[in-house]
Amino acid sequence: MATYGVPILATLIAWWFSTGAILYLDGLPRRTFKWSFAAATLLALASLWGVVATSGLTGPSGAYLAVACALMLWGWNEMAFLFGFITGSRREPCQPGARGLARFLQATRAVLHHELALLATLLLVAALSWGAENRFALLTFALLFGMRLSTKLNIFLGVPNTTIEFLPPHLGYLTSYFRQKPMNLLFPLSTTAATVLTSIIVEEALVADAFLATGFTLLATLAALGLIEHWFLVLPLPVAGMWGWSLASHRDNAAAPASALAAEAATPRAIPRSSLVA
């Protein structure tokens, strides 16, 4: 139970809580972003050190720590994107009528800097763990990178559920690059590949070595979650309800300006002095 159950439970908790925490912070007033991102940057720097420090650890704790470092580096990139700090050179909606290659190029420019930041982080983690016995930080980040890229392509090509409720208002222009349709040709290939990959990782986890069993169980759980997230794109499920507590900050932040305007409208205004003159 401890070999497989604990890693699975730990991954589920980390996935649910870290996603919710980032969504909550992103829903706060934008003046708070610099402080949240500063704290995330310190954690990211510590995680880079952690990748090096865990590279020689070949016990279960080494696997946990390496995967945790990768998740914190991934979270830093996600916060940079959702806060609007690292997105792309294009920060406006898709041109009306754009189709095919033109639409794809505009969408790419809208998120290119973020994708390059993810790729740079992946290469950095690879360099820091090159030749190491513990490469679970690299494997984790590479897995997340591949799964997220597949998800983005499917949303671009068209799925029923585009998860626009997770986007903050300052990134609202990105929804113009989404397409809502019952299915696209990439989706069956994506889910098949994700299923095969998950199965391969599960097989790798069925070993006697505690280090490898723990590390590959963590990876297999993340891969399974990535597959489930793909199915969330097409199944009529109330996915946002899973993070209702974190999306509350989005609703509160959106309601604040409206409340301020209502209060201003209800406040009696002083009569200009010139209007008192006969």
Side-chain angles (χ1 to χ4, degrees), residues 153-178:
L153 287 173
N154 275 285
I155 292 176
F156 170 79
L157 293 173
V159 288
N161 307 319
T162 54
T163 63
I164 59 175
E165 62 270 27
F166 293 131
L167 275 180
H170 55 270
L171 294 182
Y173 62 91
L174 290 176
T175 61
S176 65
Y177 300 98
F178 299 171

Side-chain angles (χ1 to χ4, degrees), residues 69-93:
C69 288
L71 291 177
M72 284 189 283
L73 290 170
W74 184 265
W76 181 88
N77 279 277
E78 287 298 290
M79 290 177 69
F81 176 72
L82 290 173
F83 286 1
F85 295 158
I86 304 177
T87 54
S89 58
R90 183 179 179 85
R91 300 200 174 197
E92 56 189 27

Side-chain angles (χ1 to χ4, degrees), residues 58-270:
T58 55
S61 60
Y64 279 112
L65 292 172
V67 172
C69 288
L71 291 177
M72 284 189 283
L73 290 170
W74 184 265
W76 181 88
N77 279 277
E78 287 298 290
M79 290 177 69
F81 176 72
L82 290 173
F83 286 1
F85 295 158
I86 304 177
T87 54
S89 58
R90 183 179 179 85
R91 300 200 174 197
E92 56 189 27
C94 183
Q95 291 180 352
R99 297 288 185 274
L101 181 60
R103 177 171 170 265
F104 177 77
L105 291 176
Q106 289 183 35
T108 300
R109 288 175 54 203
V111 296
L112 182 59
H113 296 165
H114 173 56
E115 300 303 322
L116 291 177
L118 287 172
L119 180 59
T121 306
L122 176 61
L123 294 176
L124 180 57
V125 173
L128 293 175
S129 57
W130 186 263
E133 295 181 86
N134 185 350
R135 292 184 292 174
F136 280 112
L138 173 60
L139 293 175
T140 299
F141 202 94
L143 174 65
L144 295 173
F145 182 82
M147 286 289 189
R148 180 55 59 88
L149 182 60
S150 174
T151 300
K152 289 177 180 176
L153 287 173
N154 275 285
I155 292 176
F156 170 79
L157 293 173
V159 288
N161 307 319
T162 54
T163 63
I164 59 175
E165 62 270 27
F166 293 131
L167 275 180
H170 55 270
L171 294 182
Y173 62 91
L174 290 176
T175 61
S176 65
Y177 300 98
F178 299 171
R179 180 173 289 171
Q180 200 165 28
K181 55 191 295 189
M183 183 66 65
N184 68 77
L185 295 178
L186 177 63
F187 186 80
L189 298 176
S190 297
T191 52
T192 300
T195 302
V196 171
L197 178 60
T198 303
S199 301
I200 292 174
I201 301 175
V202 168
E203 186 176 356
E204 292 291 330
L206 301 177
V207 294
D209 184 274
F211 166 63
L212 295 177
T214 300
F216 281 114
T217 300
L218 293 168
L219 281 179
T221 308
L222 284 173
L225 289 171
L227 175 60
I228 292 172
E229 287 183 349
H230 275 71
W231 283 107
F232 281 164
L233 299 176
V234 298
L235 296 177
L237 298 173
V239 179
M242 297 176 61
W243 291 281
W245 60 275
S246 59
L247 293 176
S249 63
H250 289 245
R251 294 188 294 269
D252 294 342
N253 194 28
S259 300
L261 289 174
E264 182 181 357
T267 301
R269 296 181 179 273

